[in-house]
Amino acid sequence: IFLWLTCMPRCAISALSTEVLVTTQAPLLNTESATLSQVITNEQIVDLPLNGRSFHELARLTPGVALLPPAGNSQLVRPEIVNGNIMGGVSGRQTRFLLDGVDITEEHQGGTWIQTSVDALQEFSVQQNAYSAEFHGAGGTFNVVTKSGSNRLRGSVFEFLRNDAFDAKNYFAQTKEKLERNQFGGTFGGPVVIPGLVDGRGRTFFFASYEGQRRKSGAVDVAIVPSPAQRQGNFQGLAPIYDPLTTSGTARTQFAGNVIPQNRIAAAAEFFLRYIPLPNGPNNTWVSNPIVEFNQDQFTLRGDHELTPRHKLFVRFSRHSNHEDRPATFPALGATELWGPAFNLAGALTSNFGTSIVHEFRVSRMYGEYRSTAYFQGQGSDLLGEAGVKGLEQAQ
């Protein structure tokens, strides 16, 4: 069916419309600065996959940056970013970390004491070299900015779960390693409004963020231990065992049959053998799967206030704490407890004087601590004295 419409003189003619399309392209060469850097936006931070939700992993998007994972079964115990990042060939220990313009670098071993939840980050930049005088990292600088509240109440909650349901057993392990990792938290922000007292819409805002992690992961430890025969002094079929009492110069006398007589085995050796288990694997190996428990909590609280259209103030408090219990390879040796609380208090006043002068005044207070305690069987006892070892003082 065709429908024809003929416009008679009374038909109105539509008005003309004009569309202006403006396009731009980033210049191939920045002639105003020689800094090699890249900005990671909030969209990239939130949408790109992150193992462990550590934002520093996104530095891999920047040319010249390589991030190295921890070696072996080591865990992220200290409340710091892994300092294995390499920027422009310079060790990660030389990297600076700025949070809202204040330095939060851990000066002793590198990295940073404060890890901020990715949901609390507005953006961050990675600057490698030839940067301005306000940045002084020999290798590079992580410059991170946290979110602030807005005129609308906004919030989010999340939880990420990972376990060993589909994992394969480690080749060297006797059983499949345990893995339970829960990361959870949320954010909430908006204007500061107290009915009848304060209406901060357009001027005063708050933002809060919390993230926690609870993890149980199995490690695989392999050690060579004495066999039952070797505990009795029998080393037949192995390298020759010589009697130290009959050794003179180059002349040495081997124990008969390569067996140490029972009365020649030191009492101290028999004492400390009680802490060493019998082999449970091939070739006199002891294989264990200790479960490492790791807990982490971090929160950020920020407030922003516009004093005048030319003067803006913000205050932020961040706290980060980790706690880990790591059993020893030999169960009789107990476990090691590691923990480290840290916090950062920062504030800044930004003032705009005219059209060409901007002044910033910043203050910061940083505190970080790392503690380690070993708990083992017999702690508090004079083990050296009980073993009959003379001339050494046992640390208490």
Side-chain angles (χ1 to χ4, degrees):
I1 301 174
F2 297 94
L3 178 62
W4 292 90
L5 177 63
T6 302
C7 183
M8 301 302 291
R10 292 185 178 181
C11 293
I13 300 177
S14 61
L16 295 176
S17 62
T18 304
E19 180 179 357
V20 179
L21 180 62
V22 179
T23 61
T24 184
Q25 183 176 359
L28 298 179
L29 178 64
N30 185 354
T31 59
E32 298 180 358
S33 172
T35 301
L36 178 60
S37 64
Q38 181 168 341
V39 176
I40 311 299
T41 65
N42 175 260
E43 183 179 1
Q44 292 173 299
I45 294 173
V46 175
D47 293 344
L48 290 176
L50 287 172
N51 183 20
R53 290 175 55 81
S54 298
F55 73 88
H56 68 279
E57 296 282 345
L58 293 177
R60 300 174 189 266
L61 301 175
T62 303
V65 176
L67 295 179
L68 305 180
N73 290 324
S74 62
Q75 306 288 334
L76 186 61
V77 179
R78 306 181 66 171
E80 63 184 42
I81 290 177
V82 179
N83 58 25
N85 58 77
I86 298 176
M87 294 187 181
V90 181
S91 169
R93 295 176 184 268
Q94 306 290 331
T95 302
R96 310 301 301 181
F97 293 85
L98 303 180
L99 183 61
D100 293 322
V102 299
D103 198 330
I104 57 170
T105 307
E106 202 277 81
E107 301 289 352
H108 181 57
Q109 292 189 358
T112 174
W113 290 103
I114 303 296
Q115 285 193 83
T116 307
S117 174
V118 296
D119 295 84
L121 300 183
Q122 183 61 39
E123 65 179 25
F124 75 93
S125 65
V126 181
Q127 297 168 307
Q128 295 187 50
N129 50 44
Y131 28 68
S132 61
E134 63 180 311
F135 307 115
H136 54 280
T141 300
F142 277 83
N143 195 358
V144 185
V145 179
T146 58
K147 289 181 178 179
S148 63
S150 63
N151 274 329
R152 296 180 57 187
L153 290 174
R154 298 176 183 271
S156 65
V157 293
F158 63 87
E159 179 171 7
F160 296 87
L161 169 65
R162 180 181 174 186
N163 55 38
D164 56 20
F166 297 100
D167 291 353
K169 183 180 75 69
N170 186 293
Y171 176 82
F172 297 98
Q174 293 184 328
T175 59
K176 186 170 69 171
E177 308 95 283
K178 182 181 182 62
L179 176 60
E180 292 181 2
R181 187 174 75 182
N182 293 80
Q183 289 182 275
F184 51 90
T187 63
F188 185 63
V192 177
V193 177
I194 302 177
L197 295 177
V198 178
D199 187 353
R201 282 172 290 194
R203 294 189 59 191
T204 308
F205 311 98
F206 75 94
F207 181 83
S209 168
Y210 167 78
E211 180 173 325
Q213 181 180 162
R214 302 295 181 265
R215 183 177 67 213
K216 295 182 179 179
S217 57
V220 180
D221 294 339
V222 181
I224 298 177
V225 296
S227 66
Q230 292 169 352
R231 289 169 175 263
Q232 302 300 318
N234 187 345
F235 292 87
Q236 292 181 358
L238 301 176
I241 304 295
Y242 297 97
D243 188 347
L245 299 181
T246 60
T247 299
S248 176
T250 59
R252 298 185 298 176
T253 302
Q254 182 180 352
F255 283 113
N258 216 31
V259 177
I260 303 174
Q262 191 68 30
N263 61 352
R264 295 291 303 279
I265 298 178
E270 293 182 331
F271 176 84
F272 286 110
L273 277 175
R274 70 178 66 177
Y275 296 99
I276 302 177
L278 293 170
N280 62 358
N283 302 320
N284 290 344
T285 57
W286 164 261
V287 183
S288 63
N289 298 106
I291 297 179
V292 180
E293 295 190 17
F294 178 81
N295 297 329
Q296 180 184 91
D297 295 282
Q298 55 180 283
F299 73 86
T300 298
L301 180 62
R302 171 171 173 155
D304 292 81
H305 178 64
E306 182 180 286
L307 300 173
T308 69
R310 291 175 176 261
H311 303 279
K312 296 182 179 180
L313 173 71
F314 96 87
V315 178
R316 175 189 49 77
F317 179 77
S318 300
R319 191 181 191 279
H320 191 124
S321 63
N322 287 344
H323 187 276
E324 179 183 86
D325 287 317
R326 170 178 284 273
T329 300
F330 301 153
L333 296 181
T336 300
E337 182 182 19
L338 306 154
W339 71 98
F343 72 82
N344 174 240
L345 177 63
L349 174 63
T350 303
S351 301
N352 185 356
F353 299 102
T355 59
S356 59
I357 300 178
V358 176
H359 179 268
E360 279 193 323
F361 175 77
R362 297 172 183 160
V363 293
S364 174
R365 171 73 169 93
M366 183 70 209
Y367 172 83
E369 185 177 2
Y370 173 61
R371 308 171 187 172
S372 174
T373 304
Y375 298 94
F376 60 93
Q377 189 181 39
Q379 185 167 1
S381 303
D382 183 8
L383 298 182
L384 293 177
E386 295 179 18
V389 178
K390 305 297 183 180
L392 294 176
E393 182 180 353
Q394 177 173 307
Q396 299 295 330

